[in-house]
Amino acid sequence: MKPIKARNLHRDLGYFYIGLIISFAFSGILMNHREDWHPEKYTIETKAIEVKLPAEDKINEKFAEDLGKQLGIDDKFRRHNLKKGTFKISFEKHDVEIDMKTGKGEIVAFNKTPFISQTMKLHKNTSNWWIYYSDIFGISLITIAITGAIMIPAGKFTFKRRGWKLAIAGLVFPLLILFLLG
């Protein structure tokens, strides 16, 4: 591919996907920190509760749904889990967290955060049309990377003279992190 054609393709794909690149990057950063805070939602009310819980082996999905109704939560049930002595129930617009030993906990009511909630859906969407569009986007990112590497035809900053070293470093760094932390 000629450098001019590579530059034009690189530029045009970059322009076309700039909004999606920024949205994916933004929502990816938020997704990385979803365990520390809930960027998708903001709290509108927190209410302390105290309930009597059965033995852990009696806690199942039906129990979690029924408990939600008893607590006055008229909301779509999503999931429940029991981890490290804490019973958690997730609803569409409420979260319930209860200490298994004391029965004390809280109900948190929340709303979706405008814009942030929608951008985070980009990482979670599994509809067929989005999967195909994301595949095309991934191929386009590969094209942007390759055309970016070959569009400088001569000089000390070409891929052949300098770029390949940076490309290898850019590949080795995440692999090291995966192996060391994985």
Side-chain angles (χ1 to χ4, degrees):
M1 182 179 279
K2 289 184 179 179
I4 296 294
K5 286 184 179 179
R7 181 170 299 176
N8 292 343
L9 183 59
H10 181 85
R11 178 200 61 222
D12 292 345
L13 285 174
Y15 286 159
F16 183 79
Y17 285 113
I18 194 166
L20 191 56
I21 290 168
I22 291 169
S23 295
F24 256 111
F26 179 69
S27 64
I29 291 166
L30 295 174
M31 291 286 285
N32 287 342
H33 301 282
R34 68 187 176 274
E35 295 299 320
D36 303 321
W37 60 293
H38 298 288
E40 272 188 283
K41 52 192 178 183
Y42 63 92
T43 301
I44 55 174
E45 180 187 7
T46 303
K47 180 176 142 186
I49 57 170
E50 190 167 346
V51 296
K52 184 155 174 53
L53 294 173
E56 284 187 30
D57 62 340
K58 302 283 187 213
I59 294 177
N60 55 31
E61 189 170 305
K62 173 133 177 52
F63 175 80
E65 284 186 78
D66 291 344
L67 181 59
K69 288 176 186 165
Q70 290 171 19
L71 294 170
I73 299 172
D74 184 26
D75 204 351
K76 182 181 175 196
F77 175 80
R78 295 170 91 190
R79 65 187 153 276
H80 77 286
N81 75 21
L82 202 82
K83 198 185 314 184
K84 298 180 183 175
T86 303
F87 177 44
K88 295 180 182 181
I89 312 172
S90 178
F91 295 90
E92 188 81 17
K93 294 184 179 180
H94 295 83
D95 285 335
V96 178
E97 208 168 292
I98 305 168
D99 183 282
M100 287 296 296
K101 290 179 185 165
T102 65
K104 293 181 180 181
E106 66 181 11
I107 301 172
V108 177
F110 57 86
N111 283 333
K112 298 283 184 181
T113 307
F115 181 71
I116 291 174
S117 177
Q118 286 82 7
T119 58
M120 289 183 72
K121 282 184 183 175
L122 292 173
H123 277 92
K124 299 176 182 179
N125 195 322
T126 57
S127 70
N128 283 339
W129 73 269
W130 183 252
I131 289 170
Y132 294 130
Y133 185 74
S134 295
D135 289 346
I136 293 166
F137 175 58
I139 292 166
S140 296
L141 287 176
I142 293 167
T143 304
I144 289 169
I146 292 169
T147 55
I150 64 172
M151 71 183 180
I152 299 175
K156 64 181 180 179
F157 298 114
T158 64
F159 187 78
K160 192 184 281 188
R161 291 190 68 191
R162 178 176 179 222
W164 70 270
K165 297 171 194 169
L166 293 170
I168 288 175
L171 185 63
V172 168
F173 183 73
L175 289 176
L176 281 174
I177 298 298
L178 284 172
F179 288 123
L180 293 175
L181 298 178

